[in-house]
Amino acid sequence: MQKYYVEKVRNYIGGEWSLSSSKEWVKITNPATGDEIGQVPAGTAADVDAAVAAAKKAFSSWRDTPPAVRARYMFDLRNLMEKNYDELLSICTQEHGKTYEESKGDVRRGIDNVETAAGIPMMMLGDALEQVATGIDCVSFRQPMGVFGIIAPYNFPSMVPLWFLPYAIASGNTVVVKPSEQVPFSQYRLFELLHELKLPPGVVNMVNGGKDVVNGMLDNKDIAGVSFVGSSPVAQHVATRCGATGKRFQALGGAKNYTIVMDDCDWDKSINNIVDSAFGCAGQRCLATAIAVGVGPAYAKLKEQIVARAKQIKVGEGHQPGVTMGPVISAKHKERVLGYIEKGIKEGAKLLLDGRDCKVPGFPNGHFIGPTVFADVTPEMTIGREEVFGPVLSLSESPDLATALQTAKNHPLANAASIYTSNGASARKFTREIDAAMVGVNIGVAAPMAYFTFGGSKGSFFGDLKAHGKESIAFYTQNKTAIQRWW
Ligand code: NAD
């Protein structure tokens, strides 16, 4: 493993690398070792304004570039990412802590989106109908809108910005990306690859930093729209501010994902799947199972089998062979997750597996928490209500499917949900009635592929057009309809 170190993370504006105007720099550490791996600027609105000016300048000639030519940059980017795949995986594991295997999911899903966006000439096709009235034809085009801002969370450093950037630029817009300040290196390396593509300067720009950069984007009048992924309170802030400044927005927020387990499920396969969903990426996935509900006799089996399987998880540094779960992102986040475990105990949930005292030999400064399982969790408890975003699985009991469904539907967040069953009628009822917009049937991480729409509902999503798939193209373009008569 080659150590990836960037002393000072720079911005990429107008085809050039530059230092932030910020005076404040924040240390980035490897979550498994605690070692410093570089510094990121706090970032400023002035940095954003410079990037938006470059993006605005590039827009008029980029939108005139034929879609098939823009698509060719996607083929080239895909090839560069494949060529540098192993390095991208290792950077992801170093900065985030997820295992090398899990980084494959992160980077591969990013590449999937680049490949899908290479189909932009087909995806952007409009409509036409001749003779809408005598001698009159009607055509509609999808046109790009200008500069888009892209704001990412820390949990998928490589993939999340690629849910947006490929579609935004392939459809003729220009972009300013703000990676998470906790994990800036995957995007830093991606922008080095984008630089090699020799895109016209200003088509892709990157500004590093935290909330001042976000707010700078939200207030910049030359940004046409914002794609955001993060926690629900910040998603709502983005939505409100974009509404006030007249921008389009798609703001994907937090999650509290329910899984319902019926006694007629395939137990061996289901338990493996649920444990992977709850503890993969140390529970830091917006599609992670947070609460598994055992229906009737399934509850007793669920408790026993989940604990037995979760005990087999090997916690450690993500490059090490055999390791199946890495640390959480930071010391601060570890404290937060431990705080939730304390609250669970205090509020009466039964701690079946305690991951608090997790030590990894050779990595004394890593932010490790072992897999933790609570039983008898109710919706009123803090761990039953709030997003923990760590390796903590809550179990609860329900007398029947209808009650379990209603409990899940009562939660204000509705990102993803899963059912485990061999009964088609139960699966159909669940799929039809659950509020969550990403649904798994015998699938623990119901992540739509690049050509399908990604995003939740209720408090997990603000906006109307979601990420990737067809909705993405609708988000990044506006429709123009021309009604034509030639005398
Ligand atoms: P976060 O909300 O703390 O940060 C997300 C982005 O917003 C970052 O770029 C950050 O710099 C910025 N930000 C943070 N606080 C801000 C503030 N007060 N004002 C303006 N900007 C601010 O989220 P996170 O901790 O990086 O990521 C974890 C969250 O993301 C979880 O809630 C998870 O469920 C969610 N998530 C959702 C999806 C989805 O598809 N719905 C996908 C991945 C992650």
Side-chain angles (χ1 to χ4, degrees):
M1 171 184 93
Q2 199 189 351
K3 188 170 165 185
Y4 193 76
Y5 180 87
V6 181
E7 193 184 345
K8 279 193 175 341
V9 172
R10 287 169 295 162
N11 294 334
Y12 186 79
I13 298 177
E16 287 176 3
W17 294 96
S18 56
L19 276 180
S20 165
S21 59
S22 180
K23 298 274 167 290
E24 199 186 323
W25 288 78
V26 183
K27 243 199 274 180
I28 307 292
T29 54
N30 176 329
T33 62
D35 293 346
E36 181 177 336
I37 49 178
Q39 290 188 34
V40 71
T44 64
D47 296 342
V48 174
D49 293 346
V52 174
K56 189 179 174 190
K57 194 165 157 215
F59 175 61
S60 61
S61 60
W62 184 241
R63 65 160 282 183
D64 284 346
T65 305
V69 175
R70 297 195 301 251
R72 270 174 224 137
Y73 286 100
M74 298 297 110
F75 288 112
D76 292 347
L77 176 57
R78 181 241 178 234
N79 292 343
L80 272 180
M81 289 185 75
E82 292 290 1
K83 199 170 142 199
N84 293 277
Y85 187 60
D86 292 342
E87 189 196 9
L88 291 171
L89 299 183
S90 190
I91 291 171
C92 185
T93 292
Q94 282 181 61
E95 68 175 345
H96 178 279
K98 64 180 68 180
T99 67
Y100 194 73
E101 274 308 300
E102 289 169 341
S103 288
K104 289 183 184 169
D106 200 321
V107 177
R108 177 58 56 198
R109 288 270 179 158
I111 294 175
D112 285 350
N113 281 283
V114 177
E115 288 172 344
T116 304
I120 202 69
M122 289 295 290
M123 292 170 92
M124 266 185 95
L125 284 179
D127 294 314
L129 185 67
E130 67 172 5
Q131 199 73 350
V132 290
T134 306
I136 297 179
D137 302 332
C138 188
V139 291
S140 76
F141 307 99
R142 298 223 66 104
Q143 296 191 323
M145 296 177 61
V147 183
F148 278 84
I150 296 170
I151 302 164
Y154 79 81
N155 66 324
F156 278 88
S158 188
M159 174 185 75
V160 169
L162 290 171
W163 282 353
F164 307 111
L165 180 146
Y167 305 102
I169 64 170
S171 56
N173 301 284
T174 57
V175 297
V176 179
V177 177
K178 190 206 90 68
S180 165
E181 67 277 31
Q182 298 191 80
V183 289
F185 300 132
S186 292
Q187 290 307 303
Y188 196 74
R189 186 70 190 111
L190 183 82
F191 268 75
E192 286 177 342
L193 300 182
L194 285 164
H195 185 72
E196 285 184 42
L197 289 187
K198 299 197 177 357
L199 281 156
V203 171
V204 294
N205 304 274
M206 174 174 65
V207 176
N208 282 285
K211 64 178 194 297
D212 289 349
V213 175
V214 172
N215 292 332
M217 276 191 187
L218 303 181
D219 289 344
N220 188 299
K221 63 176 177 27
D222 289 324
I223 288 195
V226 172
S227 298
F228 170 90
V229 183
S231 58
S232 282
V234 184
Q236 187 158 19
H237 165 69
V238 168
T240 308
R241 203 114 151 208
C242 283
T245 52
K247 300 183 195 335
R248 279 192 180 184
F249 59 90
Q250 47 180 190
L252 286 74
K256 189 78 182 171
N257 302 321
Y258 271 77
T259 284
I260 295 179
V261 184
M262 307 299 288
D263 198 32
D264 58 21
C265 71
D266 179 324
W267 277 95
D268 282 352
K269 290 179 183 152
S270 302
I271 291 294
N272 276 333
N273 217 245
I274 297 166
V275 166
D276 175 60
S277 173
F279 301 112
C281 300
Q284 300 162 105
R285 277 196 294 217
C286 70
L287 300 175
T289 292
I291 304 186
V293 184
V295 173
Y299 188 51
K301 287 186 210 165
L302 185 66
K303 286 190 285 190
E304 194 191 313
Q305 296 191 27
I306 286 282
V307 171
R309 175 66 187 80
K311 279 183 179 164
Q312 295 168 11
I313 289 173
K314 186 172 173 213
V315 181
E317 194 280 330
H319 290 88
Q320 310 296 311
V323 165
T324 50
M325 188 170 98
V328 297
I329 186 69
S330 62
K332 190 173 159 206
H333 191 54
K334 181 174 173 180
E335 279 312 303
R336 186 168 178 270
V337 175
L338 294 180
Y340 276 117
I341 299 175
E342 298 298 336
K343 277 193 186 144
I345 297 167
K346 219 159 131 194
E347 293 175 15
K350 202 162 157 204
L351 187 58
L352 300 184
L353 185 63
D354 185 354
R356 284 175 295 174
D357 191 24
C358 178
K359 303 261 183 299
V360 175
F363 295 90
N365 301 319
H367 315 307
F368 298 104
I369 305 175
T372 298
V373 181
F374 277 108
D376 302 344
V377 175
T378 66
E380 295 73 35
M381 292 176 184
T382 309
I383 55 165
R385 275 196 332 265
E386 296 185 14
E387 183 180 32
V388 176
F389 221 56
V392 179
L393 174 62
S394 295
L395 304 178
S396 66
E397 183 175 17
S398 212
D400 50 46
L401 174 59
T403 315
L405 241 171
Q406 192 53 52
T407 311
K409 283 164 71 71
N410 289 344
H411 201 281
L413 300 178
N415 206 43
S418 299
I419 187 167
Y420 290 85
T421 182
S422 57
N423 180 308
S426 302
R428 182 172 186 275
K429 178 179 172 64
F430 178 80
T431 306
R432 262 178 63 74
E433 294 181 21
I434 195 76
D435 294 330
M438 293 179 279
V439 179
V441 175
N442 299 316
I443 300 274
V445 181
M449 299 297 287
Y451 20 87
F452 285 92
T453 293
F454 194 113
S457 69
K458 297 201 314 195
S460 293
F461 179 73
F462 299 85
D464 40 27
L465 297 166
K466 296 176 186 173
H468 54 67
K470 285 182 207 149
E471 290 195 18
S472 171
I473 307 306
F475 181 74
Y476 291 122
T477 57
Q478 59 190 337
N479 203 65
K480 179 179 279 179
T481 301
I483 305 168
Q484 303 171 344
R485 169 160 56 198
W486 295 96
W487 304 111

